Amino acid sequence: MAEAFDIGARAKARCDLMGAAPYSEAEGMLVRRFLTPAHKAALDTLKFWMEEAGLAARIDAAGNLVGRYEGAAPGAPALLIGSHIDSVRNGGRYDGALGVTLGIDVVEVLNRAGRRLPFAVEVVAFGDEEGSRFPASMTCSRAVAGTVDVQVMEMVDGDGVSLAEAFAAFGLDPTRLEEAARKPGEVLAFLEAHIEQGPVLEAEDLALGVVTAIAAQKRLMVRIEGVAGHAGTTPMALRKDPGPAAAEAMLALERICRGGCDGLVGTVGRMTALPGAFNVIPGAVEFSMDIRAEVEATRDAAAEAITAEIEAIAARRGLSASVTLMQALAASPCDPGLTALLEAAVAETGQPPRRLPSGAGHDAMVIADLCPTAMLFIRCEGGISHNPREAVTEADCALAARAMLAFVERLAASNSLQRSA
Ligand code: GLV
Ligand code: MN
Ligand code: MN
């Protein structure tokens, strides 16, 4: 098939371009949160690239950018290809964005060759996978899957701006969020390409991996309350200080997860002492807990165990504690049929098709409620992610794009077979 650009390498270069202002909110680091001017700048540029590639692009009711490349017959169900365009604070350039720019490369190759498939291909840039602005994540893919609860509009960010207000400021109507939902008949399947964000592929000298399932996750917020006081005048024995209680809770979470199975992991990624001053014993400490495991029961048992420990720690220290569930995402197996197609597609690139699970969350786990999903992993240097040191090679990106194209052709072949059967 004719290619007049460096497939894959161009997708990587586009992520590099979007790694700085105006595609980042901050100087000297990448932070691109949902519904910010940096997000808008990324959507404008991606829309331009999509149109250049032959996709008809629109922003949907949830703020996702959706580009459509029609199939042989207009209006056919679509294969969705995509990932997210938001980032964590001081994140890497490829987490999410690479899955979108690779999708554009794939369609551009098809379009340049005049290749129309038995299905449409839509490239999607989801707006909020990370949840780095509002407390819950994957709002945009849940809107597409039709599983979002309109109550999410009440969530507030760190500046007290509600999701509804952020929607309105971005030019979106918060009352129409549910209109982003796709009907099951409109969507054939979802393919997400993503950096591995772990060290397995690199350790085995492999460029690509095929994901079997995505781990279950829970997000919880903990608040331990004591009594604020003067740091100089209150003797240690007479304090009601939630700080050391929070430290004990963190150690308990580490102990519980280290002793667990099924890939159990627990993280305190955010902690705030209130009011937050050198010379004030905090009146309250708030911290997040992210708990994941391949098996939901293992994740849930860990969440229950740490909740009981936090209550016991607080009681022993004369404090009060609350643990609030912010979000629970079920474990999501990838579709066996599509996964087999993707394995064959990877093998076509000359790479052994290594299967592996994903500890990271992805839009695919939410889109699985709408249609069958498959996920392709791309090796990243040192397995490092959620870090500006995230790195991929052009050669691996080119292999990924070729595997995606091979997957599309294999799906087309199996789709035609199904239709003629
Ligand atoms: C997203 O990167 C997540 O796994 O939370
Ligand atoms: Mn991420
Ligand atoms: Mn991601």
Side-chain angles (χ1 to χ4, degrees):
M1 214 173 269
E3 285 167 25
F5 64 94
D6 259 346
I7 184 171
R10 189 184 72 174
K12 174 187 177 313
R14 287 177 162 179
C15 295
D16 293 337
L17 178 81
M18 289 193 293
Y23 309 104
S24 171
E25 296 169 56
E27 280 302 321
M29 69 163 79
L30 173 59
V31 47
R32 186 166 52 237
R33 295 173 309 151
F34 186 36
L35 303 178
T36 58
H39 180 204
K40 171 84 172 70
L43 294 188
D44 287 347
T45 297
L46 284 166
K47 186 166 184 287
F48 175 81
W49 289 334
M50 281 185 175
E51 287 167 353
E52 210 181 43
L55 291 143
R58 67 186 171 95
I59 306 283
D60 76 4
N64 300 305
L65 176 65
V66 185
R68 184 172 170 97
Y69 178 70
E70 287 292 352
L79 163 67
L80 306 186
I81 301 181
S83 191
H84 61 99
I85 196 61
D86 64 324
S87 83
V88 295
R89 185 169 178 78
N90 203 14
R93 298 188 297 271
Y94 311 105
D95 174 1
L98 185 60
V100 180
T101 56
L102 280 170
I104 296 173
D105 274 10
V106 166
V107 171
E108 189 154 340
V109 172
L110 296 170
N111 188 36
R112 284 178 186 231
R115 174 86 174 106
R116 295 284 166 179
L117 302 154
F119 44 81
V121 179
E122 292 189 13
V123 179
V124 189
F126 293 110
D128 175 31
E129 188 264 6
E130 302 284 7
S132 46
R133 178 167 178 190
F134 295 95
S137 65
M138 310 217 193
T139 307
C140 297
S141 41
R142 279 188 283 150
V144 169
T147 57
V148 76
D149 184 333
V150 286
Q151 278 199 336
V152 290
M153 282 297 165
E154 290 165 23
M155 297 193 290
V156 287
D157 70 8
D159 297 320
V161 178
S162 71
L163 181 59
E165 288 164 341
F167 257 63
F170 205 74
L172 293 165
D173 182 345
T175 65
R176 301 180 69 172
L177 174 69
E178 288 164 304
E179 291 177 22
R182 303 298 295 265
K183 294 185 190 71
E186 288 173 19
V187 176
L188 196 63
F190 177 59
L191 171 65
E192 181 165 5
H194 202 286
I195 57 167
E196 182 200 344
Q197 305 182 281
V200 174
L201 294 174
E202 187 179 69
E204 296 182 17
D205 202 18
L206 297 172
L208 303 176
V210 177
V211 176
T212 50
I214 305 172
Q217 45 173 285
K218 261 190 176 166
R219 287 183 172 200
L220 304 121
M221 271 310 289
V222 183
R223 183 177 167 94
I224 306 182
E225 281 190 43
V227 178
H230 198 292
T233 59
T234 321
M236 295 306 282
L238 299 181
R239 296 178 178 212
K240 291 216 182 303
D241 183 352
E248 270 196 62
M250 262 177 96
L251 291 172
L253 179 63
E254 183 188 42
R255 176 172 36 76
I256 290 166
C257 293
R258 278 191 179 210
C261 54
D262 304 320
L264 180 65
V265 285
T267 306
V268 172
R270 187 182 293 173
M271 184 177 273
T272 316
L274 299 162
F278 266 63
N279 58 353
V280 182
I281 300 163
V285 171
E286 292 178 342
F287 58 94
S288 62
M289 293 194 301
D290 177 309
I291 302 177
R292 306 182 189 205
E294 284 153 30
V295 176
E296 277 150 49
T298 305
R299 171 203 64 178
D300 293 345
E304 278 167 31
I306 186 62
T307 301
E309 288 247 16
I310 289 170
E311 282 163 2
I313 292 163
R316 183 164 27 84
R317 290 173 169 271
L319 308 166
S320 62
S322 62
V323 180
T324 310
L325 178 66
M326 308 304 290
Q327 173 165 286
L329 292 171
S332 176
C334 293
D335 179 76
L338 290 183
T339 300
L341 281 188
L342 188 56
E343 277 185 307
V346 167
E348 221 177 291
T349 68
Q351 286 284 310
R354 167 71 152 93
R355 288 183 165 226
L356 72 173
S358 172
H362 298 289
D363 293 295
M365 70 196 297
V366 167
I367 297 295
D369 284 328
L370 174 70
C371 65
T373 60
M375 268 201 88
L376 179 68
F377 266 173
I378 303 153
R379 161 171 59 188
C380 60
E381 195 179 304
I384 293 171
S385 183
H386 284 185
N387 184 318
R389 284 166 55 208
E390 229 171 54
V392 289
T393 67
E394 287 185 356
D396 287 357
C397 292
L399 279 171
R402 291 187 193 292
M404 291 164 80
L405 269 167
F407 172 86
V408 168
E409 289 298 349
R410 284 174 181 270
L411 186 64
S414 72
N415 201 254
S416 316
L417 277 179
Q418 277 164 22
R419 275 157 195 250
S420 60

